[in-house]
Amino acid sequence: MSQDLAAPPEATRKLSGRRRREIVAVLLFSGGPIFESSIPLSVFGIDRQDAGVPRYRLLVCAGEEGPLRTTGGLELTAPYGLEAMSRAGTVVVPAWRSITSPPPPEALDALRRAHEEGARIVGLCTGAFVLAAAGLLDGRPATTHWMYAPTLAKRYPSVHVDPRELFVDDGDVLTSAGTAAGIDLCLHIVRTDHGTEAAGALARRLVVPPRRSGGQERYLDRSLPEEIGADPLAEVVAWALEHLHEQFDVETLAARAYMSRRTFDRRFRSLTGSAPLQWLITQRVLQAQRLLETSDYSVDEVAGRCGFRSPVALRGHFRRQLGSSPAAYRAAYRARRPAGDPVPLGAPLAEAVPQQVRRAAAASAALPLGASAPAPDPGKPEAYARRG
């Protein structure tokens, strides 16, 4: 678990005279999911001073004309408009309705103005797309839900997207992963503003851990951005997923794509938001995770069936991504299984390849070929990325 370090010097800008640090504006849009939208409302909008939690003043602002429709067809009416954001020292965008559509220009202008005047800007889950559209994430580290991270990286290449983090604090701009990670980031904000005791008291009221260890790695699956389906690299990706049990490297994948290693690295990163080597290691660990859950293979056998050169390599990568050894992971998984529920032998690896990728590979086979960051260093101070 990383420590809460001080914000970078460039992020300690003074608020303009009309803004107050204790005022939090939450910017809502139509079509946003109600769970993510409700997180900052609950954290910053309820008076819990009796529990030792300092009070914030909440301003719920509509980012566009209402009524605002949300999950289940509910309609919301925000009491404030964009003009109320001019008083806030913190502005939270809890969600955005679509990762493929642009946010309203008026809302983006209001966010830019708030940032220029010293406000802290926060994007929860898909709210990061709104911050990126406003240009507030350019050249900065950021995160979002792991499923949308590749799209964020592709659409905004100047953003340093890290899909492993639960949240990223870059001083005056903060982003979180999906849903529950929004709670982690909001607790982090309270801890930054008022200390550990206040954040702990709030966590007890919410019945959540004050800090969660690890990142999003344990929740990753094989999903890839939809855009890859029409790209020639889809065939290479599908082949890699089909042959994880074999020992091959990124040079092998580049050769199959008829590209140089440098061109392949650049093209792969633009499509997936991840370096090909890191993606390949992640897929091998995910396959090992699946075999540990669904087979009786020994750890040594699992390593071989997932393309690792040795059990030692499997153990090292597995621990870095999932925070435990393969044996401990299997024991914990089986302890949670219902009594008498048999553990099946592992299914063929080909069955694990998503149908989307297999279809994409078939479709791209007739097309002409076109033309995550490494694990954190425990000895390096994480001045901007913090895991909750």
Side-chain angles (χ1 to χ4, degrees):
M1 180 187 304
S2 61
Q3 298 179 351
D4 294 332
L5 305 178
E10 65 272 17
T12 57
R13 293 176 298 130
K14 185 178 179 180
L15 278 175
S16 67
R18 58 183 174 176
R19 294 184 182 274
R20 297 290 181 269
R21 182 64 68 187
E22 69 274 10
I23 298 179
V24 177
V26 177
L27 188 58
L28 299 182
F29 297 96
S30 188
I34 195 167
F35 187 10
E36 284 82 350
S37 300
S38 69
I39 289 172
L41 305 184
S42 179
V43 170
F44 302 111
I46 298 177
D47 186 353
R48 299 186 178 91
Q49 294 180 88
D50 61 320
V53 181
R55 186 174 184 179
Y56 291 87
R57 183 182 175 192
L58 181 71
L59 302 177
V60 182
C61 305
E64 57 194 336
E65 292 295 325
L68 308 178
R69 292 175 176 80
T70 185
T71 310
L74 297 176
E75 291 189 352
L76 305 177
T77 301
Y80 299 98
L82 291 172
E83 68 283 351
M85 287 173 52
S86 63
R87 291 177 278 162
T90 300
V91 179
V92 182
V93 183
W96 174 237
R97 60 175 165 263
S98 171
I99 63 174
T100 59
S101 62
E106 297 80 8
L108 299 181
D109 288 341
L111 284 171
R112 295 187 194 101
R113 187 161 51 251
H115 182 253
E116 290 169 359
E117 295 178 355
R120 175 174 52 190
I121 312 297
V122 182
L124 308 182
C125 193
T126 52
F129 283 81
V130 181
L131 272 58
L136 301 184
L137 297 182
D138 289 352
R140 291 178 177 264
T143 193
T144 187
H145 192 295
W146 59 263
M147 187 167 62
Y148 306 127
T151 303
L152 181 64
K154 180 182 179 183
R155 184 158 293 129
Y156 303 100
S158 62
V159 181
H160 307 311
V161 181
D162 190 342
R164 301 169 301 171
E165 300 293 344
L166 289 176
F167 63 83
V168 171
D169 179 348
D170 196 35
D172 56 349
V173 178
L174 304 88
T175 52
S176 82
T179 312
I183 302 176
D184 295 319
L185 179 50
C186 288
L187 284 173
H188 170 73
I189 291 172
V190 174
R191 187 182 305 113
T192 300
D193 290 349
H194 301 292
T196 301
E197 290 188 10
L202 176 57
R204 287 191 293 274
R205 279 294 182 96
L206 297 175
V207 197
V208 296
R211 301 173 189 251
R212 283 196 296 161
S213 61
Q216 295 192 77
E217 292 99 329
R218 69 192 67 188
Y219 308 109
L220 295 171
D221 73 4
R222 299 175 180 276
S223 298
L224 291 164
E226 292 295 331
E227 294 94 329
I228 200 172
D231 193 276
L233 283 189
E235 183 180 6
V236 177
V237 169
W239 183 90
L241 292 174
E242 293 271 5
H243 293 79
L244 287 176
H245 58 290
E246 301 177 10
Q247 290 186 10
F248 60 87
D249 53 21
V250 177
E251 281 76 10
T252 302
L253 300 181
R256 293 191 66 86
Y258 300 100
M259 298 179 185
S260 69
R261 171 65 187 270
R262 184 176 180 179
T263 300
F264 181 79
D265 282 4
R266 184 175 65 252
R267 186 77 181 116
F268 192 96
R269 187 184 287 273
S270 72
L271 280 171
T272 70
S274 174
L277 178 59
Q278 186 60 43
W279 177 86
L280 182 58
I281 291 172
T282 298
Q283 300 309 314
R284 293 194 189 283
V285 169
L286 291 171
Q287 182 59 31
Q289 186 180 1
R290 174 176 174 271
L291 289 181
L292 290 167
E293 294 173 355
T294 62
S295 79
D296 286 319
Y297 297 133
S298 69
V299 173
D300 288 11
E301 289 175 314
V302 169
R305 288 175 177 269
C306 297
F308 288 104
R309 297 187 181 277
S310 71
V312 174
L314 166 62
R315 291 186 180 97
H317 290 300
F318 199 94
R319 184 175 292 279
R320 277 192 290 273
Q321 289 198 27
L322 298 175
S324 69
S325 69
Y329 178 87
R330 170 177 272 168
Y333 177 82
R334 292 190 175 183
R336 295 193 302 266
R337 295 180 65 87
D341 189 5
V343 179
L345 289 175
L349 292 177
E351 295 180 9
V353 180
Q355 289 186 358
Q356 170 200 340
V357 176
R358 290 205 297 269
R359 288 196 301 266
S364 65
L367 298 175
L369 286 168
S372 149
D377 182 357
K380 180 180 179 181
E382 295 179 337
Y384 56 79
R386 305 187 180 97
R387 292 185 178 181

